[in-house]
Amino acid sequence: MSTISISHLTKTYGPFVAVDDLCLEIPTGSVFGLLGPNGAGKTSTFKCMLGLANATSGEIRYDNMKLAPATFERIAYVPERSVLYDHLTVAEHFEMQRRAFANFDSARAGRLVGEFGVDPRKRARALSKGMKTATMVAMAFARTPDFLILDEPTSGLDPVNQRAVLNLIINEATRGCTIVFSSHQIGQVERAAERIAILQNGKLAVEGAVDDLKADRKIVEGILPVEDFPVDGYASDKRIARIDKQGRILRLTVVADPDAIASELGGAGAQGVRIVDLNLEDIFIGAVAPAASTADLVETAK
Amino acid sequence: MPIIMTVDPRSGVPIYLQLIEQIKRSIALGVMATGEQLPTVKQLALDLTINPNTVARAYRDLERDGVIETAPGRGSFVRSDGAAVESAQTAASDVARENFENAVREAKSLGLHRAAVASLFGAALDRWLPEER
């Protein structure tokens, strides 16, 4: 089983805690989306996963093995920023990859960049940001790896090529490759990822299957009979992750039993009670933005 | 593959539930015939650009509900024993019931009384199902 297992990963830079006791299990053949605001710890996590940074504590295992030279042959990485050499052509980069990695398929790399519309004779310095991303994606996928770690693999690409990258990810997953990717384009994660984690300040804020999170998390909102209606009781309610109250309008972010909570609210005299579906972007914002209320709540659902 | 299939990944409704509903709807409307083969998990995932395990989850639930059957190595098919159509029609009435429930709850929360809701319901029936009055 190719499983990526991250246990109690902590990474500090001086007094700054970039990753704080992170635990994740990523099953074989799954596509895992890592989300978080800028500086949440995504790239630090990737660097520790790749041995590009030393974990302060905790460990990462691939197929129950620690990172070793033999493992690198099975992992491909697309970094957030270009690591291409300005003065080398795309074809010359492929030649370097071919010499470095036994499983690098030059023909496949050439086909992939062709599909993205990149001329392999061009030097990296002449490529746009999107074309650089496409070149790095082609180099990673041309190795038919067991593990793919993709840090913003669609940045700078047009919508058609973004879709092409997502389909490459889906195709690799169906052959059993285990993929972790981050993107600020939440709609892409919503499509391609089966499970996600949302990081905030280096900590795990939310984790789960995208479809389960959508099924369980709803907003229950209603208009309270009076402005000073007591809502403190909801603060200790395990089914409620977040309370936003502005004047008489109450919005509860619930993680279970939305129907029961809606009836309770209606029974308490609230008007216009309704249940609102949340997409991944709503779940993301709900997890990382502070609650607009007098009764601030910490995210309780883990 | 004649399935009415438009999935909205950005919706708050889980994608696998959207897939199940659309496949059942296709069967209930006769767009998908009994015995007909469904696309492979990989093919549908690539066509819709959605996660393959999400498609597999929808197929598993459809198989559990007796709507489709999977023959190892051959693929997934709409069941031909009538159970598929029955299950699809039950699903259609479930969707309708849920929509009615939501509409009545919404009307109540807006302060409408029973008589007003009944009259609105009658008007909708007159408009959309006049021959069955």
Side-chain angles (χ1 to χ4, degrees):
Chain A
M1 286 281 284
S2 321
T3 303
I4 304 175
S5 168
I6 299 174
S7 59
H8 301 288
L9 177 69
T10 296
K11 175 65 186 171
T12 59
Y13 295 96
F16 178 69
V17 183
V19 183
D20 191 353
D21 199 33
L22 179 67
C23 296
L24 290 175
E25 287 290 327
I26 301 162
T28 306
S30 71
V31 182
F32 194 95
L34 197 57
L35 299 171
N38 292 321
K42 302 185 296 288
T43 298
S44 292
T45 302
F46 285 153
K47 285 184 172 168
C48 291
M49 289 172 74
L50 291 153
L52 298 172
N54 284 321
T56 307
S57 61
E59 65 172 19
I60 291 152
R61 285 173 175 266
Y62 293 87
D63 280 353
N64 211 22
M65 295 191 308
K66 284 191 179 180
L67 209 54
T71 330
F72 287 111
E73 192 61 38
R74 303 172 59 201
I75 305 174
Y77 170 52
V78 173
E80 186 181 12
R81 292 193 191 87
S82 170
V83 290
L84 302 175
Y85 297 96
D86 273 350
H87 60 287
L88 295 183
T89 65
V90 171
E92 284 164 348
H93 280 92
F94 290 172
E95 179 55 20
M96 279 174 43
Q97 290 283 309
R98 191 187 63 77
R99 294 184 195 186
F101 297 104
N103 51 6
F104 185 77
D105 181 343
S106 301
R108 181 159 193 233
R111 271 199 311 279
L112 288 172
V113 285
E115 283 165 20
F116 287 117
V118 178
D119 181 348
R121 294 166 302 180
K122 275 195 175 171
R123 294 184 195 282
R125 81 162 77 88
L127 299 177
S128 67
K129 176 167 171 45
M131 293 298 102
K132 285 179 180 168
T133 303
T135 302
M136 292 190 294
V137 165
M139 292 197 305
F141 282 80
R143 287 177 44 207
T144 323
D146 292 335
F147 307 99
L148 266 168
I149 295 171
L150 310 170
D151 198 355
E152 299 281 341
T154 59
S155 65
L157 292 173
D158 64 47
V160 173
N161 281 333
Q162 288 181 12
R163 192 57 72 89
V165 170
L166 294 185
N167 272 338
L168 280 174
I169 289 173
I170 290 163
N171 196 53
E172 291 302 293
T174 57
R175 77 167 175 81
C177 180
T178 307
I179 299 158
V180 186
F181 84 115
S182 74
S183 177
H184 285 301
Q185 308 226 29
I186 293 179
Q188 298 183 348
V189 177
E190 213 157 26
R191 280 185 176 280
E194 179 188 7
R195 298 182 68 82
I196 59 120
I198 300 173
L199 297 186
Q200 190 189 21
N201 300 327
K203 287 193 178 74
L204 188 62
V206 175
E207 196 220 338
V210 178
D211 274 355
D212 291 343
L213 291 171
K214 284 181 177 179
D216 297 340
R217 291 180 176 238
K218 305 282 176 190
I219 294 273
V220 177
E221 66 176 18
I223 300 159
L224 298 169
V226 287
E227 196 162 318
D228 58 359
F229 189 89
V231 296
D232 295 349
Y234 292 121
S236 57
D237 193 326
K238 289 275 178 253
R239 301 169 301 172
I240 294 165
R242 180 184 165 114
I243 302 168
D244 292 280
K245 182 175 172 295
Q246 286 167 315
R248 287 172 59 205
I249 299 172
L250 178 68
R251 285 166 63 86
L252 302 174
T253 305
V254 313
V255 294
D257 293 339
D259 290 317
I261 292 167
S263 319
E264 286 164 30
L265 200 55
Q271 287 177 299
V273 177
R274 57 190 198 121
I275 298 169
V276 186
D277 287 333
L278 296 178
N279 65 20
L280 192 52
E281 184 168 350
D282 300 323
I283 292 168
F284 178 87
I285 302 286
V288 303
S293 85
T294 45
D296 274 8
L297 262 192
V298 184
E299 180 76 28
T300 52
K302 288 274 190 271
Chain B
M1 202 62 57
I3 307 181
I4 308 168
M5 208 68 93
T6 44
V7 168
D8 177 11
R10 308 223 60 176
S11 137
V13 180
I15 296 175
Y16 83 98
L17 291 179
Q18 294 184 47
L19 284 174
I20 290 170
E21 204 226 300
Q22 299 223 17
I23 290 170
K24 285 184 174 174
R25 185 191 289 254
S26 300
I27 296 167
L29 294 172
V31 181
M32 280 208 83
T34 56
E36 189 167 336
Q37 184 165 13
L38 282 92
T40 63
V41 166
K42 180 179 178 178
Q43 192 57 53
L44 195 53
L46 287 171
D47 284 352
L48 301 175
T49 315
I50 54 176
N51 186 280
N53 285 339
T54 303
V55 177
R57 182 177 182 179
Y59 279 17
R60 264 198 313 278
D61 281 11
L62 285 166
E63 189 163 3
R64 185 200 62 203
D65 294 350
V67 177
I68 66 171
E69 57 196 345
T70 301
R74 288 182 52 232
S76 298
F77 300 83
V78 179
R79 264 172 66 161
S80 46
D81 57 3
V85 175
E86 193 181 314
S87 168
Q89 282 164 350
T90 307
S93 83
D94 284 348
V95 169
R97 186 189 320 108
E98 194 179 331
N99 284 334
F100 287 141
E101 294 245 353
N102 289 340
V104 173
R105 187 168 60 195
E106 179 83 8
K108 182 190 172 191
S109 79
L110 291 168
L112 295 185
H113 293 294
R114 191 183 172 92
V117 175
S119 126
L120 288 172
F121 184 64
L125 276 182
D126 288 347
R127 178 167 180 202
W128 297 104
L129 289 171
E131 74 276 14
E132 294 183 24
R133 284 181 74 192

